[in-house]
Amino acid sequence: MHFRGHTTMSSPLRVGLAGVGTVGASVVTLLERQRAALASRTGRSIEVTAISARERGRERGVEIEGFAWFDDPVALAASPDIDLFVELIGGDEGPARQAVETALGARKPVVTANKALLAKHGMALAALAEKQHVALAFEASVAGGIPIVKTLREGLAGNEIRRVYGILNGTCNYILSRMELEKLSFEQCLSEAQRLGYAEADPTFDIGGFDAAHKLAILSSLAFGTAVDAGAIHVEGIQSISLADLESADELGYRIKLLGVAERSEHGIEQRVHPTMVLKSSAIAQVMGVTNAVTIDADAVEELTLVGPGAGGGATASAVVADIADIARGIRSPPFGLPVASLDHSARLPMQRHEGGYYVRLSVHDRPGALAAIATRMAERLISLESIVQRSKPGKRSPVSAGTTVPVVLITYATTETLIREALAAVVADGYIAERPQVIRIERD
Ligand code: HSE
Protein backbone atom coordinates (compact mmCIF):
# COMPACT_ATOMS: atom_id res chain seq x y z
CA MET A 1 0.00 0.00 0.00
CA HIS A 2 1.28 3.46 -0.83
CA PHE A 3 0.37 6.48 1.15
CA ARG A 4 -0.17 9.40 -1.12
CA GLY A 5 0.41 12.84 0.27
CA HIS A 6 -2.71 14.93 0.16
CA THR A 7 -1.01 18.09 -0.91
CA THR A 8 0.88 16.79 -3.93
CA MET A 9 -1.63 15.72 -6.57
CA SER A 10 -0.73 12.72 -8.72
CA SER A 11 -2.00 12.30 -12.27
CA PRO A 12 -5.80 11.95 -12.60
CA LEU A 13 -7.29 8.47 -12.34
CA ARG A 14 -9.08 7.87 -15.62
CA VAL A 15 -12.17 5.73 -15.15
CA GLY A 16 -13.85 3.69 -17.87
CA LEU A 17 -17.45 2.85 -16.98
CA ALA A 18 -19.34 0.00 -18.63
CA GLY A 19 -23.10 -0.04 -18.01
CA VAL A 20 -24.86 3.28 -17.56
CA GLY A 21 -28.22 2.30 -16.09
CA THR A 22 -29.61 3.36 -12.70
CA VAL A 23 -26.36 2.66 -10.82
CA GLY A 24 -23.96 3.80 -13.56
CA ALA A 25 -25.72 7.15 -13.94
CA SER A 26 -25.60 7.61 -10.16
CA VAL A 27 -21.85 6.87 -10.15
CA VAL A 28 -21.28 9.61 -12.76
CA THR A 29 -23.39 12.04 -10.71
CA LEU A 30 -21.72 11.18 -7.41
CA LEU A 31 -18.17 11.42 -8.77
CA GLU A 32 -19.06 14.83 -10.15
CA ARG A 33 -20.75 16.02 -6.94
CA GLN A 34 -17.87 14.86 -4.71
CA ARG A 35 -15.12 15.73 -7.17
CA ALA A 36 -13.22 18.14 -4.88
CA ALA A 37 -13.68 16.09 -1.70
CA LEU A 38 -12.54 12.89 -3.41
CA ALA A 39 -9.49 14.61 -4.87
CA SER A 40 -8.43 15.88 -1.47
CA ARG A 41 -9.21 12.56 0.27
CA THR A 42 -7.34 10.40 -2.23
CA GLY A 43 -4.67 12.81 -3.51
CA ARG A 44 -5.81 12.27 -7.10
CA SER A 45 -8.56 13.69 -9.20
CA ILE A 46 -10.95 11.02 -10.43
CA GLU A 47 -12.33 11.50 -13.93
CA VAL A 48 -14.77 9.35 -15.86
CA THR A 49 -13.23 9.56 -19.31
CA ALA A 50 -14.95 6.79 -21.29
CA ILE A 51 -18.19 4.82 -21.14
CA SER A 52 -19.94 1.94 -22.79
CA ALA A 53 -23.64 1.08 -22.69
CA ARG A 54 -26.19 -0.76 -24.78
CA GLU A 55 -28.03 2.29 -26.13
CA ARG A 56 -26.22 5.52 -26.76
CA GLY A 57 -29.24 7.79 -27.08
CA ARG A 58 -31.18 6.72 -23.98
CA GLU A 59 -32.26 9.39 -21.49
CA ARG A 60 -30.28 8.79 -18.31
CA GLY A 61 -30.50 12.04 -16.42
CA VAL A 62 -26.74 12.55 -16.84
CA GLU A 63 -24.72 14.20 -19.56
CA ILE A 64 -22.53 11.64 -21.40
CA GLU A 65 -21.44 13.74 -24.36
CA GLY A 66 -18.06 14.58 -22.83
CA PHE A 67 -16.99 10.92 -22.45
CA ALA A 68 -15.37 8.77 -25.12
CA TRP A 69 -17.99 6.27 -26.31
CA PHE A 70 -17.39 2.53 -26.82
CA ASP A 71 -20.03 0.27 -28.34
CA ASP A 72 -18.10 -2.71 -27.00
CA PRO A 73 -17.35 -2.89 -23.24
CA VAL A 74 -14.49 -5.32 -23.91
CA ALA A 75 -12.80 -2.72 -26.12
CA LEU A 76 -13.29 -0.16 -23.34
CA ALA A 77 -11.72 -2.59 -20.83
CA ALA A 78 -8.68 -2.94 -23.11
CA SER A 79 -8.33 0.77 -23.84
CA PRO A 80 -4.93 2.26 -22.97
CA ASP A 81 -6.72 5.52 -22.18
CA ILE A 82 -8.27 4.30 -18.94
CA ASP A 83 -6.58 3.43 -15.61
CA LEU A 84 -9.53 1.67 -13.95
CA PHE A 85 -12.48 -0.30 -15.28
CA VAL A 86 -15.90 -0.17 -13.61
CA GLU A 87 -18.22 -3.02 -14.59
CA LEU A 88 -21.93 -2.36 -14.08
CA ILE A 89 -23.24 -4.50 -16.93
CA GLY A 90 -24.43 -7.47 -14.88
CA GLY A 91 -24.74 -11.16 -15.74
CA ASP A 92 -22.39 -13.99 -14.89
CA GLU A 93 -21.10 -14.57 -18.44
CA GLY A 94 -20.97 -12.70 -21.76
CA PRO A 95 -19.72 -9.12 -21.98
CA ALA A 96 -19.42 -8.61 -18.19
CA ARG A 97 -17.11 -11.57 -17.69
CA GLN A 98 -15.12 -10.91 -20.87
CA ALA A 99 -14.66 -7.24 -20.05
CA VAL A 100 -13.54 -7.90 -16.45
CA GLU A 101 -11.08 -10.58 -17.61
CA THR A 102 -9.79 -8.24 -20.32
CA ALA A 103 -9.26 -5.36 -17.89
CA LEU A 104 -7.46 -7.55 -15.34
CA GLY A 105 -5.45 -9.16 -18.14
CA ALA A 106 -4.37 -5.64 -19.18
CA ARG A 107 -3.33 -4.90 -15.57
CA LYS A 108 -6.19 -2.51 -14.90
CA PRO A 109 -7.91 -2.57 -11.52
CA VAL A 110 -11.59 -3.46 -11.66
CA VAL A 111 -14.55 -2.27 -9.59
CA THR A 112 -17.72 -4.28 -10.04
CA ALA A 113 -21.19 -4.56 -8.51
CA ASN A 114 -21.73 -7.92 -10.19
CA LYS A 115 -22.59 -10.51 -7.51
CA ALA A 116 -23.64 -13.15 -10.05
CA LEU A 117 -20.24 -12.95 -11.75
CA LEU A 118 -18.37 -13.15 -8.44
CA ALA A 119 -20.51 -15.99 -7.11
CA LYS A 120 -19.70 -18.03 -10.20
CA HIS A 121 -16.22 -16.92 -11.23
CA GLY A 122 -14.98 -15.06 -8.14
CA MET A 123 -12.11 -17.46 -7.47
CA ALA A 124 -10.77 -17.39 -11.03
CA LEU A 125 -11.09 -13.60 -11.23
CA ALA A 126 -9.43 -13.09 -7.83
CA ALA A 127 -6.57 -15.38 -8.93
CA LEU A 128 -6.17 -13.35 -12.12
CA ALA A 129 -6.19 -10.05 -10.18
CA GLU A 130 -3.59 -11.47 -7.80
CA LYS A 131 -1.38 -12.65 -10.66
CA GLN A 132 -1.60 -9.23 -12.32
CA HIS A 133 -1.06 -7.35 -9.03
CA VAL A 134 -4.20 -5.26 -9.48
CA ALA A 135 -7.29 -4.68 -7.35
CA LEU A 136 -10.60 -6.44 -7.86
CA ALA A 137 -13.09 -4.55 -5.69
CA PHE A 138 -16.77 -5.39 -5.21
CA GLU A 139 -18.22 -3.53 -2.23
CA ALA A 140 -21.36 -2.72 -4.24
CA SER A 141 -22.05 -6.37 -4.99
CA VAL A 142 -23.47 -7.10 -1.52
CA ALA A 143 -26.11 -5.13 0.37
CA GLY A 144 -25.91 -1.96 -1.78
CA GLY A 145 -24.74 0.95 0.33
CA ILE A 146 -23.72 -1.07 3.43
CA PRO A 147 -19.91 -1.38 3.57
CA ILE A 148 -20.09 -5.04 4.52
CA VAL A 149 -17.19 -6.31 2.39
CA LYS A 150 -14.78 -3.91 4.06
CA THR A 151 -16.30 -4.63 7.47
CA LEU A 152 -15.72 -8.37 7.15
CA ARG A 153 -12.36 -8.19 5.38
CA GLU A 154 -10.70 -5.34 7.25
CA GLY A 155 -12.85 -4.22 10.15
CA LEU A 156 -13.26 -7.68 11.71
CA ALA A 157 -9.84 -9.09 10.80
CA GLY A 158 -9.19 -9.75 14.50
CA ASN A 159 -12.28 -11.92 14.98
CA GLU A 160 -13.30 -15.49 14.46
CA ILE A 161 -16.73 -15.31 12.86
CA ARG A 162 -19.33 -17.89 13.81
CA ARG A 163 -22.33 -16.73 11.81
CA VAL A 164 -23.23 -14.05 9.30
CA TYR A 165 -26.85 -13.59 8.32
CA GLY A 166 -29.09 -10.94 6.96
CA ILE A 167 -31.65 -9.44 4.70
CA LEU A 168 -29.71 -9.34 1.45
CA ASN A 169 -32.42 -8.68 -1.10
CA GLY A 170 -34.22 -5.34 -0.97
CA THR A 171 -36.90 -6.40 -3.43
CA CYS A 172 -38.00 -9.38 -1.29
CA ASN A 173 -37.94 -7.35 1.89
CA TYR A 174 -39.94 -4.61 0.20
CA ILE A 175 -42.52 -7.14 -1.05
CA LEU A 176 -42.88 -8.94 2.29
CA SER A 177 -43.09 -5.65 4.22
CA ARG A 178 -45.78 -4.19 1.98
CA MET A 179 -47.79 -7.41 1.84
CA GLU A 180 -47.75 -7.57 5.64
CA LEU A 181 -48.43 -3.93 6.43
CA GLU A 182 -50.77 -3.02 3.60
CA LYS A 183 -52.31 -6.42 2.81
CA LEU A 184 -51.37 -5.98 -0.85
CA SER A 185 -50.89 -8.82 -3.31
CA PHE A 186 -47.47 -10.21 -4.13
CA GLU A 187 -47.79 -9.07 -7.78
CA GLN A 188 -48.69 -5.49 -6.88
CA CYS A 189 -45.69 -5.20 -4.57
CA LEU A 190 -43.32 -6.72 -7.13
CA SER A 191 -44.38 -4.29 -9.88
CA GLU A 192 -43.80 -1.41 -7.49
CA ALA A 193 -40.29 -2.71 -6.65
CA GLN A 194 -39.53 -2.93 -10.36
CA ARG A 195 -40.81 0.58 -10.97
CA LEU A 196 -38.58 1.91 -8.19
CA GLY A 197 -35.51 0.25 -9.75
CA TYR A 198 -34.81 -2.24 -6.93
CA ALA A 199 -35.42 -5.46 -8.82
CA GLU A 200 -32.95 -7.27 -11.06
CA ALA A 201 -33.52 -7.19 -14.83
CA ASP A 202 -35.06 -10.65 -14.36
CA PRO A 203 -36.98 -10.41 -11.06
CA THR A 204 -36.98 -14.20 -10.58
CA PHE A 205 -33.41 -13.64 -9.40
CA ASP A 206 -34.86 -11.61 -6.54
CA ILE A 207 -37.99 -13.53 -5.59
CA GLY A 208 -36.44 -16.95 -6.17
CA GLY A 209 -33.68 -16.16 -3.64
CA PHE A 210 -30.83 -16.39 -6.19
CA ASP A 211 -29.69 -12.78 -5.84
CA ALA A 212 -29.47 -13.21 -2.04
CA ALA A 213 -27.59 -16.50 -2.61
CA HIS A 214 -25.01 -14.79 -4.82
CA LYS A 215 -24.44 -12.23 -2.07
CA LEU A 216 -24.32 -14.87 0.66
CA ALA A 217 -21.67 -16.82 -1.29
CA ILE A 218 -19.45 -13.71 -1.23
CA LEU A 219 -20.11 -12.95 2.46
CA SER A 220 -19.48 -16.54 3.47
CA SER A 221 -16.08 -16.57 1.77
CA LEU A 222 -15.09 -13.28 3.42
CA ALA A 223 -16.37 -14.37 6.84
CA PHE A 224 -14.83 -17.84 6.95
CA GLY A 225 -11.80 -17.59 4.66
CA THR A 226 -13.32 -20.23 2.40
CA ALA A 227 -13.46 -20.48 -1.38
CA VAL A 228 -16.68 -19.04 -2.85
CA ASP A 229 -19.05 -21.98 -3.17
CA ALA A 230 -22.45 -20.81 -4.43
CA GLY A 231 -23.37 -24.37 -5.42
CA ALA A 232 -23.40 -25.34 -1.74
CA ILE A 233 -26.20 -22.90 -0.87
CA HIS A 234 -29.69 -24.21 -0.18
CA VAL A 235 -31.99 -21.69 -1.90
CA GLU A 236 -35.72 -21.09 -1.50
CA GLY A 237 -37.54 -17.93 -2.57
CA ILE A 238 -40.59 -16.08 -1.31
CA GLN A 239 -43.08 -17.16 -3.98
CA SER A 240 -44.90 -19.54 -1.65
CA ILE A 241 -45.42 -17.00 1.15
CA SER A 242 -49.08 -16.09 1.46
CA LEU A 243 -50.97 -13.46 3.42
CA ALA A 244 -52.12 -16.38 5.63
CA ASP A 245 -48.48 -17.04 6.63
CA LEU A 246 -47.83 -13.36 7.29
CA GLU A 247 -50.95 -13.18 9.48
CA SER A 248 -50.14 -16.39 11.39
CA ALA A 249 -46.58 -15.17 11.93
CA ASP A 250 -47.93 -11.90 13.30
CA GLU A 251 -50.31 -13.68 15.70
CA LEU A 252 -47.49 -15.88 16.97
CA GLY A 253 -45.10 -12.97 17.55
CA TYR A 254 -42.97 -13.46 14.43
CA ARG A 255 -42.31 -11.71 11.14
CA ILE A 256 -41.24 -13.40 7.89
CA LYS A 257 -38.01 -12.29 6.21
CA LEU A 258 -35.99 -13.74 3.36
CA LEU A 259 -32.68 -14.37 5.14
CA GLY A 260 -29.31 -15.50 3.89
CA VAL A 261 -27.49 -17.38 6.64
CA ALA A 262 -23.92 -18.71 6.66
CA GLU A 263 -22.84 -20.51 9.79
CA ARG A 264 -19.73 -22.39 10.83
CA SER A 265 -20.16 -25.49 12.94
CA GLU A 266 -17.81 -28.30 13.89
CA HIS A 267 -19.27 -30.29 10.98
CA GLY A 268 -18.73 -27.68 8.27
CA ILE A 269 -20.18 -24.50 6.82
CA GLU A 270 -23.94 -24.26 6.40
CA GLN A 271 -25.19 -21.77 3.78
CA ARG A 272 -28.89 -21.22 3.18
CA VAL A 273 -31.33 -18.67 1.77
CA HIS A 274 -35.01 -19.09 2.60
CA PRO A 275 -38.02 -17.32 4.08
CA THR A 276 -37.44 -17.27 7.81
CA MET A 277 -39.55 -16.57 10.90
CA VAL A 278 -37.79 -14.06 13.14
CA LEU A 279 -39.10 -12.86 16.49
CA LYS A 280 -40.88 -9.53 16.11
CA SER A 281 -38.77 -8.18 18.97
CA SER A 282 -35.46 -8.97 17.17
CA ALA A 283 -33.36 -6.27 15.50
CA ILE A 284 -33.65 -7.87 12.08
CA ALA A 285 -37.48 -7.93 12.28
CA GLN A 286 -37.51 -4.13 12.47
CA VAL A 287 -35.86 -3.85 9.05
CA MET A 288 -38.60 -3.01 6.58
CA GLY A 289 -38.85 -2.02 2.92
CA VAL A 290 -35.85 -2.03 0.59
CA THR A 291 -33.47 -1.74 3.54
CA ASN A 292 -30.88 -4.49 4.03
CA ALA A 293 -29.29 -5.65 7.26
CA VAL A 294 -26.38 -7.93 8.03
CA THR A 295 -25.65 -9.36 11.48
CA ILE A 296 -22.30 -10.89 12.35
CA ASP A 297 -21.68 -13.10 15.39
CA ALA A 298 -17.98 -13.10 16.19
CA ASP A 299 -15.80 -13.94 19.18
CA ALA A 300 -14.35 -10.53 19.99
CA VAL A 301 -16.93 -8.03 18.80
CA GLU A 302 -19.75 -10.46 19.77
CA GLU A 303 -22.69 -9.19 17.74
CA LEU A 304 -22.66 -6.47 15.12
CA THR A 305 -25.55 -5.41 12.87
CA LEU A 306 -25.25 -3.07 9.92
CA VAL A 307 -28.46 -1.67 8.49
CA GLY A 308 -28.84 0.43 5.34
CA PRO A 309 -30.17 0.80 1.82
CA GLY A 310 -29.58 -2.42 -0.11
CA ALA A 311 -30.50 -1.28 -3.59
CA GLY A 312 -31.12 1.81 -5.68
CA GLY A 313 -28.81 4.08 -7.62
CA GLY A 314 -27.44 6.42 -4.96
CA ALA A 315 -26.72 3.75 -2.32
CA THR A 316 -25.04 1.39 -4.75
CA ALA A 317 -23.04 4.24 -6.28
CA SER A 318 -21.81 5.10 -2.78
CA ALA A 319 -20.16 1.66 -2.58
CA VAL A 320 -18.77 1.83 -6.12
CA VAL A 321 -17.24 5.24 -5.46
CA ALA A 322 -15.68 4.02 -2.18
CA ASP A 323 -13.91 1.25 -4.12
CA ILE A 324 -12.76 3.74 -6.76
CA ALA A 325 -11.42 5.96 -3.96
CA ASP A 326 -9.46 3.02 -2.45
CA ILE A 327 -7.84 2.38 -5.81
CA ALA A 328 -7.05 6.08 -6.23
CA ARG A 329 -5.30 5.90 -2.84
CA GLY A 330 -3.32 2.87 -3.96
CA ILE A 331 -5.01 0.36 -1.63
CA ARG A 332 -5.11 -3.25 -2.80
CA SER A 333 -6.32 -6.07 -0.55
CA PRO A 334 -6.70 -9.72 -1.55
CA PRO A 335 -10.26 -9.65 -2.95
CA PHE A 336 -11.57 -12.33 -0.58
CA GLY A 337 -9.33 -11.41 2.36
CA LEU A 338 -6.69 -14.11 1.78
CA PRO A 339 -4.56 -15.11 -1.19
CA VAL A 340 -6.70 -17.41 -3.34
CA ALA A 341 -4.41 -20.41 -2.70
CA SER A 342 -4.94 -20.03 1.06
CA LEU A 343 -8.75 -20.04 0.91
CA ASP A 344 -10.11 -23.11 2.61
CA HIS A 345 -12.29 -25.68 0.84
CA SER A 346 -14.13 -26.60 4.04
CA ALA A 347 -16.76 -29.28 4.25
CA ARG A 348 -20.26 -28.18 3.21
CA LEU A 349 -22.98 -28.97 5.67
CA PRO A 350 -25.98 -30.43 3.82
CA MET A 351 -29.36 -28.86 4.52
CA GLN A 352 -30.70 -32.17 5.85
CA ARG A 353 -28.48 -31.64 8.88
CA HIS A 354 -29.82 -28.17 9.60
CA GLU A 355 -31.04 -27.87 13.16
CA GLY A 356 -33.65 -25.37 14.30
CA GLY A 357 -37.29 -24.67 15.06
CA TYR A 358 -39.97 -24.84 12.39
CA TYR A 359 -43.30 -23.18 11.60
CA VAL A 360 -45.64 -25.56 9.79
CA ARG A 361 -49.01 -24.52 8.35
CA LEU A 362 -51.34 -27.35 7.43
CA SER A 363 -54.73 -27.41 5.81
CA VAL A 364 -56.30 -30.26 7.77
CA HIS A 365 -59.48 -32.21 6.99
CA ASP A 366 -61.80 -31.48 9.87
CA ARG A 367 -62.12 -35.02 11.22
CA PRO A 368 -61.81 -36.46 14.73
CA GLY A 369 -58.29 -37.63 15.48
CA ALA A 370 -56.56 -35.41 12.93
CA LEU A 371 -54.66 -33.25 15.41
CA ALA A 372 -53.78 -36.25 17.58
CA ALA A 373 -52.39 -38.06 14.53
CA ILE A 374 -50.26 -35.05 13.56
CA ALA A 375 -48.91 -34.70 17.10
CA THR A 376 -48.11 -38.44 17.15
CA ARG A 377 -46.12 -38.26 13.89
CA MET A 378 -44.06 -35.46 15.41
CA ALA A 379 -43.60 -37.24 18.77
CA GLU A 380 -42.44 -40.43 17.02
CA ARG A 381 -39.43 -38.44 15.82
CA LEU A 382 -38.93 -36.71 19.16
CA ILE A 383 -40.10 -33.40 17.71
CA SER A 384 -41.39 -31.31 20.55
CA LEU A 385 -44.15 -28.80 19.83
CA GLU A 386 -43.93 -25.30 21.27
CA SER A 387 -47.47 -24.53 20.11
CA ILE A 388 -50.25 -25.93 17.99
CA VAL A 389 -53.04 -23.60 16.96
CA GLN A 390 -56.19 -24.54 15.12
CA ARG A 391 -57.90 -21.49 13.75
CA SER A 392 -61.49 -21.46 15.03
CA LYS A 393 -63.00 -20.28 11.78
CA PRO A 394 -63.43 -23.13 9.30
CA GLY A 395 -61.32 -23.01 6.16
CA LYS A 396 -62.51 -23.60 2.63
CA ARG A 397 -64.38 -26.66 1.34
CA SER A 398 -61.79 -29.29 0.60
CA PRO A 399 -61.83 -30.51 -3.02
CA VAL A 400 -60.41 -33.87 -1.86
CA SER A 401 -62.95 -34.94 0.74
CA ALA A 402 -65.78 -32.51 -0.05
CA GLY A 403 -65.68 -31.80 3.72
CA THR A 404 -64.28 -28.71 5.41
CA THR A 405 -60.63 -28.05 6.15
CA VAL A 406 -59.17 -26.04 9.00
CA PRO A 407 -55.85 -24.24 9.06
CA VAL A 408 -53.53 -25.61 11.75
CA VAL A 409 -50.25 -23.94 12.62
CA LEU A 410 -47.47 -25.72 14.54
CA ILE A 411 -44.32 -24.25 16.01
CA THR A 412 -41.67 -26.82 16.88
CA TYR A 413 -38.71 -26.66 19.21
CA ALA A 414 -35.32 -27.41 17.64
CA THR A 415 -35.21 -30.49 15.46
CA THR A 416 -33.49 -31.40 12.21
CA GLU A 417 -34.55 -30.85 8.61
CA THR A 418 -34.53 -34.62 8.04
CA LEU A 419 -36.85 -35.34 10.96
CA ILE A 420 -39.39 -32.61 10.17
CA ARG A 421 -39.53 -33.69 6.52
CA GLU A 422 -40.02 -37.34 7.54
CA ALA A 423 -42.76 -36.40 10.02
CA LEU A 424 -44.61 -34.32 7.42
CA ALA A 425 -44.35 -37.08 4.82
CA ALA A 426 -45.98 -39.40 7.36
CA VAL A 427 -48.70 -36.82 8.11
CA VAL A 428 -49.43 -36.49 4.38
CA ALA A 429 -49.51 -40.29 3.99
CA ASP A 430 -52.07 -40.51 6.85
CA GLY A 431 -54.50 -38.62 4.59
CA TYR A 432 -55.49 -35.83 6.95
CA ILE A 433 -53.99 -33.02 4.86
CA ALA A 434 -55.70 -31.24 1.95
CA GLU A 435 -52.71 -29.25 0.61
CA ARG A 436 -48.93 -29.45 0.63
CA PRO A 437 -47.66 -28.37 4.08
CA GLN A 438 -46.10 -24.93 4.26
CA VAL A 439 -42.79 -25.08 6.16
CA ILE A 440 -40.85 -22.00 7.30
CA ARG A 441 -37.67 -22.24 9.38
CA ILE A 442 -37.28 -20.19 12.52
CA GLU A 443 -34.01 -18.31 13.15
CA ARG A 444 -33.16 -17.46 16.74
CA ASP A 445 -31.07 -14.42 17.68
N1 HSE B 1 -32.21 -6.62 -6.85
C1 HSE B 1 -31.35 -6.35 -5.75
C2 HSE B 1 -32.20 -6.20 -4.50
C3 HSE B 1 -30.56 -5.09 -6.02
O1 HSE B 1 -33.42 -6.14 -4.61
O2 HSE B 1 -31.67 -6.18 -3.42
C4 HSE B 1 -29.31 -4.98 -5.22
O3 HSE B 1 -28.41 -6.01 -5.46
Side-chain angles (χ1 to χ4, degrees), residues 37-61:
L38 283 164
S40 62
R41 284 173 195 153
T42 66
R44 275 183 99 169
S45 77
I46 299 170
E47 312 275 350
V48 176
T49 53
I51 62 168
S52 172
R54 266 202 304 258
E55 291 167 66
R56 191 166 186 172
R58 204 182 117 196
E59 177 49 50
R60 299 181 159 87

Side-chain angles (χ1 to χ4, degrees), residues 12 94 102 112 181 206 248-249 273 290 296 353 392 411:
T102 301
T112 176
L181 298 179
D206 296 294
S248 297
V273 170
V290 71
I296 300 142
R353 294 187 64 179
S392 51
I411 300 283

Side-chain angles (χ1 to χ4, degrees), residues 20-39:
V20 195
T22 312
V23 177
S26 298
V27 168
V28 171
T29 306
L30 190 55
L31 285 173
E32 187 52 43
R33 196 166 79 221
Q34 298 293 352
R35 169 184 288 274
L38 283 164

Side-chain angles (χ1 to χ4, degrees), residues 172-441:
C172 286
N173 206 50
Y174 177 85
I175 292 174
L176 292 173
S177 303
R178 294 209 72 192
M179 282 176 73
E180 181 195 328
L181 298 179
E182 296 175 45
K183 309 273 179 277
L184 293 175
S185 74
F186 182 89
E187 289 72 25
Q188 247 177 311
C189 302
L190 173 59
S191 328
E192 191 73 352
Q194 287 177 290
R195 194 183 63 75
L196 292 165
Y198 306 150
E200 295 302 300
D202 174 358
T204 47
F205 271 74
D206 296 294
I207 61 180
F210 306 108
D211 174 77
H214 292 148
K215 295 166 179 168
L216 186 68
I218 296 167
L219 291 186
S220 190
S221 170
L222 290 163
F224 303 125
T226 49
V228 172
D229 188 5
I233 303 179
H234 174 90
V235 186
E236 290 171 33
I238 62 166
Q239 305 92 321
S240 73
I241 302 298
S242 64
L243 278 174
D245 294 316
L246 294 165
E247 278 166 18
S248 297
D250 184 49
E251 281 169 23
L252 291 159
Y254 291 94
R255 201 161 251 162
I256 301 175
K257 298 289 183 192
L258 184 82
L259 289 193
V261 185
E263 192 164 2
R264 188 205 288 276
S265 77
E266 53 187 300
H267 307 296
I269 309 267
E270 177 176 302
Q271 295 182 77
R272 51 197 165 87
V273 170
H274 51 70
T276 309
M277 307 280 272
V278 292
L279 278 173
K280 253 196 267 181
S281 57
S282 65
I284 209 118
Q286 316 313 314
V287 177
M288 302 299 269
V290 71
T291 306
N292 280 194
V294 185
T295 297
I296 300 142
D297 294 338
D299 61 348
V301 76
E302 297 187 354
E303 189 181 288
L304 178 69
T305 298
L306 282 83
V307 180
T316 312
S318 161
V320 170
V321 169
D323 279 344
I324 296 174
D326 273 356
I327 291 166
R329 289 179 170 122
I331 294 174
R332 179 168 63 88
S333 307
F336 292 93
L338 295 175
V340 172
S342 308
L343 291 167
D344 184 16
H345 291 258
S346 265
R348 306 166 164 196
L349 195 66
M351 195 60 197
Q352 289 77 359
R353 294 187 64 179
H354 168 70
E355 287 182 18
Y358 287 79
Y359 156 102
V360 179
R361 182 170 55 80
L362 301 168
S363 177
V364 178
H365 294 302
D366 199 3
R367 290 205 299 263
L371 283 191
I374 293 165
T376 302
R377 292 306 190 190
M378 298 284 165
E380 283 167 358
R381 289 159 186 86
L382 304 180
I383 300 172
S384 187
L385 298 179
E386 184 181 307
S387 75
I388 177 161
V389 180
Q390 177 180 323
R391 294 274 186 90
S392 51
K393 57 177 190 266
K396 50 189 180 225
R397 301 282 299 176
S398 158
V400 178
S401 67
T404 53
T405 61
V406 286
V408 170
V409 171
L410 315 174
I411 300 283
T412 78
Y413 285 110
T415 180
T416 67
E417 185 83 14
T418 301
L419 290 175
I420 195 82
R421 296 290 172 188
E422 280 180 14
L424 290 173
V427 168
V428 170
D430 286 341
Y432 286 111
I433 305 297
E435 290 166 15
R436 232 180 107 211
Q438 169 69 300
V439 178
I440 305 179
R441 299 170 192 89

